[in-house]
Amino acid sequence: MANDRRAQLLSGNEACVRGALAAGVRFFAGYPITPSTEIAEGLAAALPKVGGTFIQMEDEIASMGAVIGASVAGAKAMTATSGPGFSLKQENIGFAAMAEVPCVIVDVQRYGPSTGLPTSPAQGDIMQARWGTHGDHPVIALMPSSVRETFDLTVEAFNLAEELRTPVILLLDEIVGHMRERVELPPDEEVHVVNRTKPVEGPETFQPYKPGPNLVPPMPAFGDGYHFHVTGLAHDESGFPTGRGQDADRLVRRLHAKIENRQPELARAEEWQLEDAQIVVVAAGSVARSARAAVREARERGIKAGLLRPITAWPFPEKAVREAARRAAPMIVAELNLGQIVREVERVSCGETKIVPLNRLDAELITPAEILERIQEVAAHVG
Amino acid sequence: MTTIEVRLSGFGGQGLITAGIILAEAAILDGKNAVQSQSYGPEARGGASKAEVIISDGDIDYPKVGEADVFLAMSQAACDKYAKALRPSGILIVDTDHVKNVPAFSGKTYSVPITQIAVRETGREIVANIVALGVLVGLTGLVSREALETAVLDRVPPKTKDLNKQALAAGFAAAEEILGKEGE
């Protein structure tokens, strides 16, 4: 490891700030909450220096509303919160999905339900990220497990939000958010940044919700000279509500299709030591770090274990999980909750293999030793 | 591959999380890999506070410390809680101003009046964390002294650089004195 000053010690939350800035964020509205507060602090310091705006709002509901407004006005916009605030933001997240407003919502998960244990880790919001707002809506949620990956996935969250005109959720957990590690960040010019597509045609004939070739309508900013209506009511291509079921059907199916069409490249998992694995550990976020250590240790003891790490919680990496299940290797699903990822693993694997949940609920990270022990138990049956 | 695990624990407000960050930054300056994590209560001051640092030549997966190689205890409660979570051959450093009952331990124990040294040498109790870092690195050589000094000066407010430099020197001196006596 080179001793140069590009290497630095950063927390996940700090890396999220750097990633947002590299992606071009110009607006943050939020209400501080542990363990996400460093993201608000970092952007409060940084945004004014790049001509951006930081607002500490009166609450989480208003901050989500402000983020939507800023995005419609043309700014790359985000907020950051934790479980209790994430609950409050849900209604407006649904609005952003329906009105196709690009934005990034960071949820640094802490122990719940309710105010729970404010400074302790959990992964209890995986299903809330998927189904927290009502109605049928598509969701993208990314789940980094290291500081560097937090930087990269923050950039990607903005890119996907802008390209697909959709809210994107970045699901950290307290450990990834607060942990500091040695990291080297790329210079800004090496960061791939996507901006939303603006309309080519003039304001006279412009239909604000007429989809482009990727099913995403081009998006002008308020102030660009285009007049358009933004609503959470089901609307047609004019942007105005019609009250007709068939228009709503067309709209909601398109909202899903624009993301499902991208599913093959979007739904991602890291597959590590899986080729010959007889036991697969499924783990995401901070828990994947323990899982990797456990797999390493198991291999040293002659047990062929592997790691399947969902990088996108949503869309769930169905293909990777299905293929692993078809190889009939038992799967240990380790998570800091009472079983959320495991439901998806069970659904996708259709009973083709044995699934062993490993859950911890005492506000501590699952240790490599606990996972190794479970691997050894399962191996005894496989052997 | 060598990996060293360090735990720093005491009260909230003693600056131990800052000390953990500085130690990890010094390791990076030395060209090593480092991970720092922490746990603390919801209180700003007075509650239990713990910082953990892992320094390694290789990858660091699990970011928490199980059995520590080095443990700095700056409160009795922290010492009682974590002295058991030391490797048998590990190093225990206690601040005798806060830890009165030092547990029997198979490894090496150093009892140092860290807070008193801070007050005596700098007039400021607030830099006890930096004195502690000087003592810890002086005794263990976990990171180079140069890297530690650079890391301290990078992290502290500009107006306090001299104060912190003094505190660090006092910590190094205390460690030298202890090692000198051992050598006699």
Side-chain angles (χ1 to χ4, degrees):
Chain A
M1 247 161 274
N3 175 8
D4 71 68
R5 304 218 78 178
R6 256 187 73 190
Q8 52 185 326
L9 187 78
L10 281 187
S11 71
N13 284 345
E14 288 165 337
C16 178
V17 170
R18 302 287 185 91
L21 290 166
V25 69
R26 285 296 177 271
F27 185 86
F28 179 102
Y31 189 81
I33 180 170
T34 300
S36 75
T37 303
E38 297 80 12
I39 299 172
E41 278 176 349
L43 285 166
L47 276 172
K49 294 178 191 157
V50 294
T53 302
F54 172 95
I55 309 180
Q56 181 171 324
M57 299 292 290
E58 68 269 35
D59 62 29
E60 286 88 349
I61 300 172
S63 58
M64 194 61 223
V67 163
I68 289 169
S71 180
V72 171
K76 290 190 179 179
M78 77 182 290
T79 188
T81 188
S82 185
F86 194 43
S87 298
L88 290 169
K89 289 180 195 288
Q90 292 299 336
E91 182 190 3
N92 274 334
I93 292 173
F95 182 95
M98 188 64 152
E100 298 180 73
V101 181
C103 53
V104 173
I105 302 102
V106 186
D107 172 22
V108 188
Q109 298 170 90
R110 74 185 210 188
Y111 196 100
S114 190
T115 28
L117 292 171
T119 60
S120 297
Q123 296 178 321
D125 302 349
I126 290 165
M127 284 298 169
Q128 192 190 7
R130 180 65 193 88
W131 297 113
T133 195
H134 64 276
D136 281 304
H137 57 279
V139 160
I140 299 173
L142 312 172
M143 225 174 152
S145 79
S146 70
V147 171
R148 173 60 204 251
E149 194 177 36
T150 301
F151 175 91
D152 293 336
L153 292 185
T154 304
V155 173
E156 188 168 348
F158 274 97
N159 287 350
L160 290 168
E162 294 289 317
E163 181 189 342
L164 297 170
R165 283 191 67 172
T166 191
V168 175
I169 293 158
L170 188 70
L171 267 184
L172 306 187
D173 56 53
E174 186 275 337
I175 292 166
V176 173
H178 277 167
M179 176 184 76
R180 292 180 179 83
E181 62 184 337
R182 180 189 190 276
V183 69
E184 288 176 34
L185 297 182
D188 280 353
E189 61 273 16
E190 283 174 25
V191 177
H192 175 66
V193 172
V194 176
N195 297 310
R196 65 189 69 168
T197 303
K198 296 236 176 184
V200 182
E201 60 183 313
E204 306 75 27
T205 52
F206 177 63
Q207 287 284 82
Y209 285 93
K210 185 177 164 192
N214 57 353
L215 300 183
V216 181
M219 184 178 184
F222 274 4
D224 280 353
Y226 293 79
H227 297 274
F228 59 100
H229 184 66
V230 180
T231 177
L233 287 165
H235 43 273
D236 66 8
E237 292 182 357
S238 74
F240 287 98
T242 67
R244 282 194 298 266
Q246 60 268 42
D247 290 334
D249 179 293
R250 192 179 306 122
L251 171 62
V252 174
R253 285 184 194 280
R254 179 176 62 73
L255 295 182
H256 281 80
K258 72 179 178 181
I259 288 166
E260 271 161 23
N261 286 351
R262 292 287 307 276
Q263 177 124 346
E265 73 221 69
L266 196 57
R268 285 207 311 277
E270 180 194 355
E271 300 179 34
W272 190 66
Q273 309 267 34
L274 272 195
E275 307 77 33
D276 62 343
Q278 290 171 340
I279 295 167
V280 176
V281 183
V282 180
S286 60
V287 181
R289 302 178 70 100
S290 299
R292 192 185 306 275
V295 165
R296 228 188 271 280
E297 187 76 16
R299 290 253 164 193
E300 277 170 22
R301 296 177 187 210
I303 303 170
K304 287 180 179 163
L307 170 67
L308 197 160
R309 177 175 72 87
I311 295 169
T312 47
W314 309 107
F316 190 70
E318 297 183 359
K319 188 161 165 274
V321 171
R322 190 173 294 124
E323 279 169 9
R326 284 207 185 114
R327 291 197 294 268
M331 288 190 191
I332 297 166
V333 185
E335 45 188 332
L336 283 183
N337 55 44
L338 276 180
Q340 298 195 13
I341 294 173
V342 72
R343 289 168 182 264
E344 287 302 294
V345 174
E346 282 169 348
R347 177 179 68 78
V348 169
S349 58
C350 299
E352 295 206 58
T353 188
K354 186 177 160 66
I355 290 160
V356 184
L358 172 52
N359 312 98
R360 193 159 173 178
L361 216 60
D362 64 348
E364 298 286 344
L365 178 58
I366 298 173
T367 63
E370 286 173 274
I371 299 173
L372 180 64
E373 193 185 330
R374 197 59 59 92
I375 291 172
Q376 286 171 317
E377 283 167 20
V378 173
H381 291 288
V382 176
Chain B
M1 188 184 86
T2 38
T3 298
I4 304 282
E5 305 195 3
V6 184
R7 178 175 285 125
L8 316 170
S9 186
F11 309 114
Q14 282 178 320
L16 290 172
I17 292 175
T18 303
I21 293 170
I22 290 170
L23 185 61
E25 285 179 333
I28 290 170
L29 287 171
D30 274 344
K32 295 197 174 133
N33 196 6
V35 167
Q36 182 273 336
S37 69
Q38 64 228 322
S39 71
Y40 55 93
E43 314 88 345
R45 295 223 186 324
S49 169
K50 177 180 68 162
E52 296 177 341
V53 180
I54 305 175
I55 299 170
S56 176
D57 302 323
D59 292 336
I60 301 166
D61 295 319
Y62 181 62
K64 302 281 179 180
V65 169
E67 285 197 319
D69 298 288
V70 179
F71 170 39
L72 167 73
M74 293 203 36
S75 76
Q76 186 68 51
C79 190
D80 295 345
K81 188 169 179 188
Y82 297 115
K84 295 174 287 258
L86 255 165
R87 274 186 221 287
S89 61
I91 295 172
L92 170 65
I93 301 167
V94 299
D95 180 350
T96 50
D97 297 313
H98 294 293
V99 181
K100 301 298 176 194
N101 303 315
V102 181
F105 165 57
S106 61
K108 196 120 201 151
T109 301
Y110 295 103
S111 299
V112 190
I114 291 170
T115 304
Q116 214 180 88
I117 292 172
V119 175
R120 193 182 65 217
E121 299 297 322
T122 72
R124 301 289 306 277
E125 188 175 336
I126 198 170
V127 290
N129 60 338
I130 304 300
V131 174
L133 278 178
V135 169
L136 189 149
V137 169
L139 290 172
T140 63
L142 272 187
V143 296
S144 69
R145 288 185 177 204
E146 299 71 36
L148 183 63
E149 184 170 322
T150 307
V152 167
L153 297 180
D154 277 357
R155 195 40 86 164
V156 300
K159 282 183 186 162
T160 68
K161 277 187 201 277
D162 286 341
L163 172 67
N164 281 287
K165 230 169 154 168
Q166 233 180 324
L168 189 62
F172 286 147
E176 275 160 22
E177 198 187 318
I178 293 165
L179 294 178
K181 277 185 190 154
E182 270 186 356
E184 279 167 12

